[in-house]
Amino acid sequence: MPDDAPRVPQRLDEVADAAARAFRLLPAAPQDLPASERQQHSPARRIRTDPDTVERDLMKLVLTLVELLRQLMERQALHRVDQGDLTEDEEERLGSTLLLLHDRMAGLCEQYGLDMKDLNLDLGPLGTLLPSDD
């Protein structure tokens, strides 16, 4: 553990600096903008609460959260592969699992009449919830 001791505070400082930079980059809240600039921002899309579509809307919300977690797990897996933390068997099993999860997500989207793009909620001034595939 002596090798890790000096690195942990440095990593915490890096995380704190990154968070500070991210918060400085956030746009002002709509009420803080001059009236002329408020018109340029479109309101965020909202989930409709129509009784006829409540099941689909709820599934959209759940699938959005699952897709966010899937993408985070995928990024973590890629990071671990790049670091060489996994054996070839572990890499293969992880890749197969992530592909299977993606296929199941696509199947559930199809079952509920959704597209994977529908899961990317607009958070208004913060942008979209999920990163784009570009």
Side-chain angles (χ1 to χ4, degrees):
M1 185 150 167
D3 294 340
D4 291 338
R7 187 173 177 202
V8 171
Q10 179 183 0
R11 291 289 294 162
L12 292 176
D13 290 340
E14 290 172 8
V15 170
D17 289 342
R21 283 193 310 274
F23 284 113
R24 279 196 304 269
L25 294 175
L26 286 177
Q31 65 270 17
D32 296 336
L33 294 172
S36 61
E37 291 184 36
R38 285 184 203 162
Q39 310 306 331
Q40 296 173 358
H41 296 284
S42 62
R45 291 184 307 170
R46 305 210 188 276
I47 294 178
R48 293 190 179 106
T49 55
D50 182 359
D52 297 332
T53 63
V54 71
E55 182 180 4
R56 181 181 181 270
D57 294 337
L58 181 59
M59 186 53 82
K60 179 179 176 181
L61 180 60
V62 170
L63 289 176
T64 297
L65 293 173
V66 171
E67 178 62 13
L68 177 62
L69 292 173
R70 187 196 69 77
Q71 287 187 18
L72 291 172
M73 288 180 355
E74 189 175 278
R75 284 179 176 71
Q76 181 65 29
L78 289 174
H79 177 71
R80 290 188 66 196
V81 167
D82 289 344
Q83 296 296 326
D85 292 346
L86 302 172
T87 66
E88 285 185 34
D89 289 339
E90 289 172 328
E91 286 179 24
E92 185 68 31
R93 192 172 63 235
L94 187 57
S96 297
T97 302
L98 289 172
L99 282 173
L100 179 63
L101 181 57
H102 185 271
D103 290 344
R104 296 266 171 91
M105 285 289 298
L108 285 169
C109 283
E110 184 178 323
Q111 180 180 345
Y112 285 92
L114 298 168
D115 189 86
M116 292 296 278
K117 293 176 188 172
D118 294 331
L119 305 182
N120 200 0
L121 299 179
D122 183 2
L123 300 176
L126 296 177
T128 57
L129 178 65
L130 303 171
S132 64
D133 292 336
D134 301 337

